[in-house]
Structure formats: C-alpha cells, structure tokens
Amino acid sequence: MESHGHSTNAPISVRVMRRDNPDATPRYEVFQIPHRQNMNVHMCLLEIQENPVTVEGTKTTPVAWDVNCLEEVCGSCTMIINGRARQACSTLVDTLEKPITIEPMTKFTVLRDLQVDRSRMFEDLKKTKSWVPIDGTHALGAGPRYAQDDQLVSYTLSRCMTCGCCVEACPQYGPGSAFIGPAVLSQVRRFNMHPTGKLNKGERLETVMGSGGITDCGSAQVCASVCPKEIPLLDSIAVVARDTTIHALTSWFGK
Ligand code: SF4
Ligand code: SF4
Ligand code: FES
C-alpha cells in the first residue's frame, strides 16, 4: 500500500501580509497549499517557500519569517495568526478557521513580511540587569540554596521565551511609549528573588521606578491571559509594585 502521509483533506487557503521592507506599504497575498497531517503554521510557510505562487498563479517571493527551536521555547516564530499572537511552530492548522490569516506582530518594527525586530525587549532586559552576576568564567560550584516555594515560582517565571505575546496585547506598550512591559517586569521579580540576583535588587527597582517603568502599567490585565507559558504576570507586576514602594520609602527614610 502506498502512503504519502499527506493530502488527507482539502487544500488550505492562507492569506499572508507581505511587506518588502520596514517602510513598504503592506499587501496581502493568498496561497493555496496542500493539507498535510499534523501540519502547523510553520509548515504552511515552508510550503509557500517551496512554491511561492499565489492563488491567482502569480509568481512571488518566498515569505520571510523567523524560526529557531520548533518547540515553543525560543519565541522567534511568534506572529499574528487569525488575529491572535501565537507561535507558528506550535499552532496546528486543523485547529484554525480557514482561510488562515497570518500577519506580523504590531508592536515591533516589521523588518520584512512576518519578521519583526524584538530587540527592544532584550534591551529592556539589559537595562533592568535581568541576569545573575557571576564573577569571572570559572565554575563556582553549587550556588546558594533557594527556599522550595521560591524555586517553584522562579521556575515558572524562567519559562518566559521573550515571545512578545503579552506586549502585543498590552494597551500601554508600543512604539509611542517607553513602557518596558509585563515580561521584563516579571524577570525583574525573578532575578530579585534569586539568592545572588538579589544583590542588584535595589538597582533593578530604581530602574523600574523611572519613566517607562511599573507606574506605566494601566492594570488592563490582558497580558496574563495571552501568555502561552501561563506566566503569572499580574502577580509579578504586583510584587514589583510593592517592592518599589517599599524601596522608595526605605530610601526616603534612610536619607
Ligand atoms: S511573559 Fe509570556 S507572553 Fe510575555 S514574553 Fe514571556 S512567554 Fe511571551
Ligand atoms: S496589566 Fe495591563 S497595562 Fe499592565 S502590563 Fe499587563 S496588559 Fe499591560
Ligand atoms: S520556533 Fe521557537 S517558539 Fe517557534
């Protein structure tokens, strides 16, 4: 018996927002692609890459998008699929309404087609020193111990893949605002509770007390509901808000 493992269903219609460079006016192109079993959106884009011909039969350029881990860990394939920010590698075609509409995220500069520049999030992680300082590159042995409860919270927070779904949904985040957004605030919480990361806690809090920091959060609360990793962003925002208040008071009285 012959089995090609594909074409079990009707072809799929995919509408892709195209843009050749950051300043180009976006346009849509529609493609008809064969259905394959367990197909995800990333595979749809691969089909188009192999045969970049629109439904009208016009030859076009292959669609550009970012991809890396293919297992919902790196966040690089995040795009707007049928109106919702999610990962192309983990979104299954069979769960989506057709035609499938694929667009780039709206809060970052679009470089080309579905590729966006998420470096702002990484810059904000740097600004808030969202890392654990180590002295040199030699092995330091086991670090200080975490309380078990803290360890669980920290693990949950560490699952953030800087995908940007939360900032896409956040009404306070965007090109016109300096707000660092919920993902970075959550990493501030994470590194502030780390036994070694704590050493920079004051500095981190002072950064998020400034413009673009915690007070820019308007508490719209949509960020937490869209996070694919179910990171408790509202708890993180509450913890950082409380800590900044305490820090402000203690520095005031400490003067
Ligand atoms: S907090 Fe969630 S939605 Fe936001 S960047 Fe991290 S993983 Fe993505
Ligand atoms: S609570 Fe609202 S304003 Fe604050 S970070 Fe989340 S979505 Fe943005
Ligand atoms: S490729 Fe890494 S999350 Fe999709």
Coordinates of all heavy atoms in Angstrom, one line a residue, residues 140-144:
L140 N 31.9 28.0 39.9 CA 31.8 28.5 41.2 C 31.2 27.4 42.2 O 31.0 27.7 43.3 CB 31.0 29.8 41.3 CG 31.6 31.0 40.5 CD1 30.6 32.1 40.6 CD2 32.9 31.4 41.1
G141 N 30.9 26.3 41.6 CA 30.3 25.3 42.5 C 28.8 25.6 42.6 O 28.3 26.5 42.0
A142 N 28.1 24.8 43.4 CA 26.7 25.0 43.6 C 26.4 26.4 44.2 O 27.1 26.8 45.1 CB 26.1 23.9 44.5
G143 N 25.4 27.1 43.7 CA 25.1 28.4 44.2 C 24.3 28.3 45.6 O 24.0 27.2 46.0
P144 N 24.0 29.4 46.1 CA 23.2 29.4 47.4 C 21.8 28.7 47.2 O 21.3 28.7 46.0 CB 23.0 30.8 47.8 CG 23.6 31.6 46.6 CD 24.2 30.7 45.7

